Amino acid sequence: MAIVTGRTNGDTGGGDTAGTPAPADTGIPTSAGARRGPARAVSEPGRIRQPVALIRLLTGLIAIALTLLLADYARATTGGIAADVAEAAELVPRPLAGLAGGLTTAAVLLVPVVLAARRLLGPDRRRALQQVSDGLLAAVLAYGATLLLDLWADGVAPVSLLAALTQALPGGALGHTEPVYGYLAPVLAFMTASGNREHRAPWAVLALSGLAGLAGGYATPTALLLGLLIGWTGAHGTLYAVGTPDPLPRPGEILRALRESGLRPAEAHPAGPDRYLVRQADDRPDLDVQLLDRQAVTAAAVQRAWRRLRLRTAPHPRALRSPRAGLEHEALVTYAALAAGVRTRRIAATAGLGQDTALIAYEHLPGRTLDRLPDEEITDDLLADAWRQLARLQRREIAHRALVPSSLLVDATGAVHLVDFADGDIAASELVLRCDIAQLLTTLALRAGAARSVHTAVTVLGADTVEAALPLLQPIALARTTRHALKHTARPTADAPADGPAGPGPDEAAAGGGGLLEEIRAEVLRTRPQAEVRPVRLERLRPRTLLAVVGGVVAGWLLIPQLFAAEDNPIAAVADADPTWLALALLAAALSHVTAAMGFVGFVPERLDFRNAVLAQLAGSFVKLVSPGGVGGIALNTRLLQRAGIPTAQALSSVGVGQLIGLVLHLLQLGAFVYLLDLQPGGSELDALPAVVGGLAGAAALLAVVSAVPPARRWLAARLRPLTTEVLPRLLDLLRSPARLAVGLTGQLLVSICLIGCLYCCTRAIGREPSFASVAVVFLVGNAAGNVAPTPGGAGAVDGALIALLQQTASMEKGGALAAVAMYRLLTLILPVLPGWAAMTWLQRRRAL
């Protein structure tokens, strides 16, 4: 909820901080408020490249592309809007429309002149000259872009797009209007790049000019929108390319604002990014002044929005808040902390510096932050004092969110002060408060060790409170700087058997903090052996899930036009399909879930409920919607085994055995059907068997090369270690139960046969008669592509591969291949979704998942 003052790096789990050390002679702590997020690249003295300009440039380019796509593909909508506007424009008398157009055109041309003169006659002429130069460059580039787009639309673009962007000239004149209404683009670019966005009069002139162009029939709504987008995009592209004059106020402006607030500042000294140490007259206490500017806040907006979308505990994005609103929030949380009895810096004054910058002045508090203290000064009393300060925050339900070393200031007496409440929350949720405990546990353990950190926490907070924070002790809940420190201080630890969700996950392993976090868990468990250590699910959306959804949308965008443009419309083909073959295809698709359950339970030595196994395979059809390839099914089967009381290590081994055997059988089936296909009349033209043999030989050669290079060999050995240490021993145990192993092998074979039969019946249902062997080769190759693709159910990859292979291998025309694949995917991907959801819900209610 708090504005980050433009200084965080946009990666806050519980409150992220990445402080920059302040000069040693100032005593000012490095703080969350002193961070600018993404570093600003300096292009020349007095100029900076704002990341927000790049973000807006990319946003403008995307908006222009979407406008062109909608104009071409949604011609009925854009044409209807243009017709309605033209009909309304006919109500305006032609002389009046012409007069309005002339006057507004003249006014638009005068706008840059007036704005430039006003800038150059102001007090800061050097900065004004830079801004006017930037505006002129942006205007030239925007006008050139409109000319290029006009030439492209007239000569290269599809005729349909040109018709959507233009209309006949008014008054019966020959020709058409310009595809882009380019009069406004350079003016808008100049206004934006020269820093004149706050003036209302130029915006009114632009609006009147656009309305006059529509009323006079010289522009379509789409052409007008394109002109504005090009001007806005060109301005931000120019600002990012050449940089902008640094908008931060000078020390003199800061001193003047502080005097107006009733203080007696004498001089200001820079003390870090956007920070000043201000000396006061008359022996008044010094001030730590922190600047808050809109540019840096917006620069981190994308990262913070993603963090908020991904994590349940992330703070709200602040991009839409003004610096004044951020200042008010930081002051409010600081006052609340003072009222709770927490030691922190007192606010001396707050002030605004224009529309884009504000400042907050604290009474200077001499001391050193925790990261600057030598080890011998970090005593148990100091650690306990830090926990007492956090306990006071917790009693008032105040969250700090950034308890990193730079936020713990230790004064000359050894007392701990909590500073930097820019990310704090009032009336915080229980989950966020527990995140603060987990963060401080890790922060103190990095300096004093896990044992001392946990011991002092239990002494002050109590064992129950520390135990409640244990599920939050995971890297994703910690600040980025903490994860970085964990990665560089982690010690190698012996491999321990995983304990399901309670053990360190992939994110923790990637962060490199498994060693220290495991030590903290172990220390807590010594005090409370019955403590719950299963991590709390903090992620709303995982990156791979977002990638899968985006991939599915893109695949659908590319596939749907092909389906309806095909010679044989898939919908019509399904409606006219042979009901007998269609029923057989549906039966084969349904049996695939039963055979998949056989192939699953056959590799589990323990006794399982076969009904639950079948329902789990059906539930996998629902999970496919949010997981790529076979990832969702693997996770679902593992969870089923865990809930059945099988230890996680053995559950993972059983699933791994099934996957390994399935891969081997898949290759054997592919080789067998390729051999059968080559034996068929005309099969020699495909020459598939040599291709398969060549592929296997190439893989073997690649494996030999990797084995010959020591770093690559070690990398391969690390990847294969789970196979040799877990999967192969599990397979040896299964060899003692030949009957169960036979069930597993039969199920793995039959699941492929059922799906091949479903695809074959779909081709027969639409009146095509390919050989069963050719369809089998098509399915086995296409299914392998689907397991690799990071899209839901292999969407796009499976469809494209099956369509192409049916055309090449089964000699089907494109329309028939499209119809058969569409029917097959309908039966195996779309129709099972609702039953899969019902099966998953039933299993969850029975606590089988």
Side-chain angles (χ1 to χ4, degrees):
M1 295 176 60
I3 194 165
V4 295
T5 71
R7 284 80 187 166
T8 55
N9 56 19
D11 186 22
T12 53
D16 193 14
T17 48
T20 303
D25 58 347
T26 64
I28 298 178
T30 303
S31 65
R35 295 176 298 277
R36 275 201 164 267
R40 303 190 300 178
V42 179
S43 55
E44 61 180 73
R47 281 183 174 266
I48 56 174
R49 285 197 180 96
Q50 297 280 13
V52 65
L54 177 60
I55 295 172
R56 291 173 177 171
L57 169 63
L58 297 177
T59 303
L61 293 175
I62 293 172
I64 292 172
L66 289 177
T67 302
L68 293 174
L69 286 175
L70 291 175
D72 193 17
Y73 287 100
R75 291 187 291 272
T77 302
T78 55
I81 295 175
D84 293 340
V85 172
E87 184 178 352
E90 292 179 356
L91 301 177
V92 181
R94 183 57 52 191
L96 180 59
L99 178 62
L103 291 177
T104 54
T105 300
V108 164
L109 295 177
L110 287 176
V111 163
V113 178
V114 174
L115 293 178
R118 181 172 180 173
R119 282 284 182 185
L120 294 175
L121 295 177
D124 194 349
R125 295 186 180 179
R126 181 178 180 182
R127 178 179 294 186
L129 183 60
Q130 291 178 334
Q131 292 177 326
V132 170
S133 302
D134 295 343
L136 291 175
L137 178 59
V140 171
L141 294 177
Y143 188 67
T146 59
L147 293 180
L148 290 176
L149 192 55
D150 283 339
L151 293 175
W152 174 79
D154 278 325
V156 180
V159 178
S160 58
L161 178 61
L162 181 63
L165 296 177
T166 61
Q167 63 186 11
L169 288 172
L174 297 178
H176 57 75
T177 60
E178 296 293 335
V180 181
Y181 195 59
Y183 295 102
L184 304 184
V187 178
L188 178 59
F190 179 86
M191 289 172 52
T192 305
S194 61
N196 289 281
R197 298 185 300 272
E198 67 274 12
H199 300 297
R200 297 181 179 179
W203 287 105
V205 172
L206 284 179
L208 292 174
S209 179
L211 292 175
L214 293 175
Y218 293 100
T220 63
T222 310
L224 179 62
L225 177 60
L226 280 175
L228 295 175
L229 287 175
I230 290 175
W232 188 80
T233 305
H236 291 292
T238 302
L239 292 178
Y240 186 74
V242 304
T244 57
D246 196 335
L248 291 180
R250 293 176 172 79
E253 301 176 60
I254 296 173
L255 295 179
R256 182 165 58 251
L258 292 175
R259 291 191 191 99
E260 293 174 357
S261 299
L263 301 177
R264 300 288 300 276
E267 55 184 0
H269 303 281
D274 302 347
R275 295 181 60 82
Y276 288 87
L277 175 64
V278 176
R279 309 288 184 187
Q280 290 200 88
D282 302 334
D283 295 329
R284 294 191 178 188
D286 296 341
L287 302 173
D288 297 336
V289 176
Q290 174 66 57
L291 300 180
L292 301 83
D293 67 286
R294 187 194 300 271
Q295 295 291 340
V297 172
T298 311
V302 173
Q303 292 178 338
R304 288 193 158 274
W306 163 244
R307 193 73 178 176
R308 181 62 185 172
L309 179 66
R310 184 184 177 192
L311 287 183
R312 295 164 56 194
T313 56
H316 292 280
R318 292 94 167 178
L320 300 180
R321 283 189 173 184
S322 67
R324 288 178 181 270
L327 180 149
E328 292 170 359
H329 183 87
E330 183 173 348
L332 177 63
V333 179
T334 302
Y335 283 131
L338 287 169
V342 177
R343 298 193 203 99
T344 187
R345 296 176 297 177
R346 296 184 177 275
I347 297 177
T350 59
L353 297 171
Q355 293 188 349
D356 293 335
T357 309
L359 66 81
I360 182 168
Y362 294 96
E363 293 182 2
H364 179 60
L365 183 62
R368 293 169 294 171
T369 54
L370 184 66
D371 51 348
R372 295 186 177 183
L373 289 179
D375 292 340
E376 59 271 13
E377 293 187 27
I378 302 179
T379 63
D380 286 351
D381 290 339
L382 186 147
L383 300 179
D385 192 29
W387 286 114
R388 281 191 289 270
Q389 302 309 307
L390 179 61
R392 292 170 181 170
L393 288 179
Q394 299 265 316
R395 281 195 294 269
R396 297 293 183 92
E397 296 183 348
I398 303 172
H400 189 285
R401 287 186 176 272
L403 290 170
V404 293
S406 59
S407 297
L408 276 68
L409 182 67
V410 182
D411 63 18
T413 64
V416 176
H417 303 253
L418 301 183
V419 296
D420 306 330
F421 286 90
D423 282 328
D425 279 339
I426 295 177
S429 67
E430 180 68 22
L431 197 63
V432 174
L433 294 176
R434 288 158 61 191
C435 279
D436 267 2
I437 298 176
Q439 175 65 60
L440 189 56
L441 272 172
T442 311
T443 297
L444 298 181
L446 284 168
R447 289 304 315 270
R452 294 175 62 193
S453 175
V454 172
H455 173 71
T456 52
V458 171
T459 301
V460 176
L461 302 180
D464 291 340
T465 304
V466 178
E467 174 191 343
L470 209 55
L472 278 299
L473 197 66
Q474 44 186 307
I476 198 170
L478 305 177
R480 172 182 283 180
T481 50
T482 304
R483 297 196 300 270
H484 182 77
L486 287 171
K487 182 177 180 180
H488 287 78
T489 59
R491 295 186 296 271
T493 57
D495 293 333
D499 188 18
D507 291 335
E508 184 171 309
L516 182 60
L517 296 185
E518 282 303 309
E519 290 180 18
I520 296 175
R521 290 191 186 97
E523 289 296 331
V524 176
L525 290 174
R526 288 192 183 96
T527 304
R528 300 295 293 269
Q530 74 280 11
E532 173 65 39
V533 294
R534 185 186 302 276
V536 173
R537 175 71 180 272
L538 297 179
E539 286 183 295
R540 285 195 180 99
L541 180 67
R542 295 189 178 187
R544 65 185 183 189
T545 303
L546 181 63
L547 179 62
V549 173
V550 171
V553 171
V554 172
W557 180 278
L558 297 176
L559 185 62
I560 289 175
Q562 296 183 37
L563 292 177
F564 290 96
E567 182 179 343
D568 292 341
N569 191 301
I571 297 179
V574 172
D576 298 335
D578 186 321
T580 302
W581 285 108
L582 185 58
L584 290 174
L586 181 60
L587 178 61
L591 287 176
S592 67
H593 299 293
V594 179
T595 55
M598 292 174 55
F600 168 55
V601 300
F603 296 109
V604 181
E606 294 80 6
R607 185 177 180 81
L608 292 177
D609 188 335
F610 187 73
R611 179 184 57 178
N612 287 350
V614 174
L615 291 176
Q617 308 316 304
L618 184 59
S621 302
F622 173 71
V623 177
K624 284 182 182 179
L625 292 180
V626 291
S627 63
V631 174
I634 295 174
L636 205 64
N637 290 335
T638 304
R639 183 61 177 167
L640 182 69
L641 296 180
Q642 289 176 327
R643 298 297 292 180
I646 300 175
T648 302
Q650 298 178 18
L652 290 172
S653 299
S654 295
V655 175
V657 168
Q659 293 295 313
L660 177 62
I661 297 298
L663 175 62
V664 173
L665 293 178
H666 188 96
L667 294 176
L668 292 176
Q669 286 178 296
L670 179 59
F673 281 114
V674 166
Y675 179 75
L676 292 176
L677 184 60
D678 283 341
L679 292 180
Q680 293 177 359
S684 58
E685 296 180 0
L686 178 66
D687 201 22
L689 186 58
V692 173
V693 174
L696 294 176
L702 180 61
L703 182 61
V705 172
V706 170
S707 301
V709 180
R713 184 171 62 249
R714 287 193 294 269
W715 176 86
L716 182 62
R719 297 301 182 273
L720 294 179
R721 187 174 296 116
L723 178 65
T724 57
T725 58
E726 298 176 5
V727 175
L728 292 182
R730 189 69 162 173
L731 182 57
L732 294 176
D733 290 339
L734 286 170
L735 293 177
R736 301 172 185 173
S737 303
R740 185 172 291 274
L741 186 60
V743 171
L745 292 172
T746 304
Q748 291 282 7
L749 286 171
L750 288 180
V751 67
S752 297
I753 297 299
C754 287
L755 293 175
I756 293 170
C758 179
L759 180 58
Y760 176 75
C761 292
C762 289
T763 60
R764 295 300 301 268
I766 63 171
R768 307 304 188 271
E769 297 184 1
S771 66
F772 190 84
S774 63
V775 174
V777 172
V778 167
F779 168 79
L780 293 171
V781 175
N783 189 60
N787 287 331
V788 174
T791 55
V798 170
D799 308 282
L802 292 179
I803 292 170
L805 289 170
L806 281 176
Q807 292 179 258
Q808 178 185 1
T809 307
S811 301
M812 293 178 61
E813 75 284 1
K814 183 177 181 180
L818 276 169
V821 171
M823 187 182 300
Y824 167 75
R825 297 291 273 174
L826 176 67
L827 297 177
T828 59
L829 183 65
I830 306 301
L831 289 183
V833 168
L834 188 57
W837 171 79
M840 188 170 184
T841 303
W842 190 86
L843 290 172
Q844 288 175 334
R845 288 180 179 176
R846 294 287 300 270
R847 298 192 175 182
L849 278 183

